């Protein structure tokens, strides 16, 4: 009677296979994690836009067309105006902490950055609204995000940190996004970014946006991706493509 020999991997062969699997995992898992994280952030930006836009619509339904608010209530260029619109929006947002214009209360990140990594200091119209700004009305929302606004020069500047003040990098285009509402000469619906300081997102040259991170909420809402993070100043790292409104992906 012949004995049947069972074939099996040797220890050396098993270790080689495990090593190959480890190398493949090391190469692919970070990319998959980044892709998943970017999709989650796209959804958060979409939610932030929808949440603020809905609150704005409800404010107007309650108090009337914002353009027709009396000058004594809303002069479009003061701390009083910032307080007024902040208080009214807060009525229709799910707020867990309202810091108002008080400083260093933990409602917004304290240090903000451009997408290229350089620091973005506060001061002046349209600058990011950090936790130390006494001109910014700041609040924490129930979904964990931070929301800040300032009224100046006929514009309501708004910034949303989608993962809140204590997580992420507080970097424009990654987890911090700029929104605005214009006054005279602008339509009532919420619009993203500003055309006052050279940040117009629908220009033919997007390289400034891809460097600074300003206005990229518009890119996300229109393309559904954050592929500019796979690029350097809009030039894709894995190929020779340059991101534009006609070429919206690095794939």
């Amino acid at each position: 009677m012949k004995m049947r020999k069972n074939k099996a991997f040797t220890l050396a062969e098993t270790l080689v296979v495990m090593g190959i699997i480890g190398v493949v995992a090391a190469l692919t898992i970070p990319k998959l994690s980044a892709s998943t994280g970017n999709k989650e952030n796209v959804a958060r930006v979409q939610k932030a836009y929808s949440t603020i836009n809905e609150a704005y619509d409800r404010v107007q339904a309650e108090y009337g067309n914002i353009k027709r608010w009396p000058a004594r209530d809303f002069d479009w260029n003061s701390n009083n105006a910032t307080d007024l619109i902040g208080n009214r929006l807060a009525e229709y947002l799910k707020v867990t902490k309202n810091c108002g214009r008080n400083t260093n209360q933990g409602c917004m990140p304290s240090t903000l950055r451009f997408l290229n990594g350089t620091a973005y200091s506060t001061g002046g119209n349209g600058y990011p609204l950090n936790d130390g700004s006494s001109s910014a009305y700041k609040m924490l929302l129930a979904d964990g995000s931070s929301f800040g606004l300032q009224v100046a020069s006929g514009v309501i500047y708004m910034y949303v940190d989608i993962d809140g003040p204590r997580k992420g990098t507080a970097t424009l285009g990654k987890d911090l996004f700029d929104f605005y509402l214009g006054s005279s000469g602008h339509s009532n619906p919420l619009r993203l970014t500003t055309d006052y300081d050279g940040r117009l997102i629908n220009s033919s040259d997007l390289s400034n946006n891809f460097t600074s991170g300003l206005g990229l909420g518009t890119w996300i809402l229109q393309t559904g991706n954050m592929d500019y993070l796979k690029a350097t100043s809009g030039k894709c790292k894995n190929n020779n493509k340059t991101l534009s409104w006609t070429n919206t992906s690095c794939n």
Side-chain angles (χ1 to χ4, degrees):
M1 183 175 181
K2 293 183 179 180
M3 297 291 292
R4 179 179 294 177
K5 293 183 178 180
N6 294 324
K7 294 183 178 181
F9 289 112
T10 65
L11 177 60
E13 290 171 331
T14 302
L15 291 174
V16 168
V17 171
M18 291 177 65
I20 293 172
I21 293 172
V23 170
V24 172
L27 292 173
T28 58
I29 289 177
K31 293 182 179 179
L32 291 173
S33 298
S35 177
T36 300
N38 288 344
K39 288 180 180 178
E40 290 178 354
N41 287 342
V42 166
R44 290 178 180 179
V45 172
Q46 292 168 336
K47 179 184 177 183
Y49 178 86
S50 176
T51 297
I52 299 168
N53 207 23
E54 180 181 355
Y56 170 63
D57 287 342
R58 294 180 69 183
V59 165
Q60 290 206 117
E62 174 71 21
Y63 296 102
N65 188 323
I66 196 169
K67 291 184 181 179
R68 297 172 185 166
W69 289 2
R72 61 182 174 82
D73 290 335
F74 195 73
D75 61 9
W76 290 98
N77 195 37
S78 71
N79 287 337
N80 289 337
T82 297
D83 289 338
L84 177 62
I85 192 63
N87 286 330
R88 289 187 175 180
L89 279 174
E91 293 178 24
Y92 299 102
L93 294 169
K94 294 180 180 179
V95 179
T96 58
K97 184 177 182 180
N98 191 332
C99 296
R101 287 190 296 103
N102 298 314
T103 60
N104 302 316
Q105 299 295 305
C107 278
M108 289 291 286
S110 57
T111 303
L112 312 175
R113 297 190 178 278
F114 285 118
L115 188 56
N116 65 2
T118 59
Y120 194 3
S121 301
T122 59
N125 297 341
Y127 278 72
L129 313 176
N130 75 348
D131 209 39
S133 172
S134 61
S135 299
Y137 191 108
K138 304 165 288 289
M139 58 189 93
L140 281 175
L141 304 184
D143 63 2
S145 63
S146 296
F147 176 61
L149 68 90
Q150 179 184 358
V151 180
S153 299
V155 179
I156 306 171
Y157 296 92
M158 295 178 284
Y159 286 82
V160 176
D161 188 316
I162 57 176
D163 50 17
R166 303 189 184 281
K167 295 181 180 179
T169 60
T171 299
L172 284 158
K174 284 187 176 179
D175 53 0
L176 181 70
F177 297 89
D178 55 325
F179 299 75
Y180 88 95
L181 283 166
S183 58
S184 60
H186 296 277
S187 58
N188 283 327
L190 187 68
R191 296 178 61 187
L192 291 173
T193 198
T194 156
D195 55 5
Y196 287 84
D197 300 311
R199 303 172 190 168
L200 189 63
I201 187 65
N202 63 0
S203 65
S204 58
D205 181 8
L206 297 172
S207 60
N208 288 336
N209 299 99
F210 293 138
T211 299
S212 68
L214 290 162
L216 292 181
T218 298
W219 174 273
I220 291 173
L221 291 176
Q222 293 189 17
T223 67
N225 70 51
M226 298 177 74
D227 273 21
Y228 54 82
L229 295 179
K230 303 175 183 178
T232 301
S233 297
K235 191 174 184 61
C236 299
K237 298 174 184 177
N238 61 340
N239 53 45
N240 292 321
K241 291 182 179 179
T242 298
L243 294 174
S244 67
W245 290 121
T246 55
N247 178 42
T248 61
S249 175
C250 282
N251 296 329

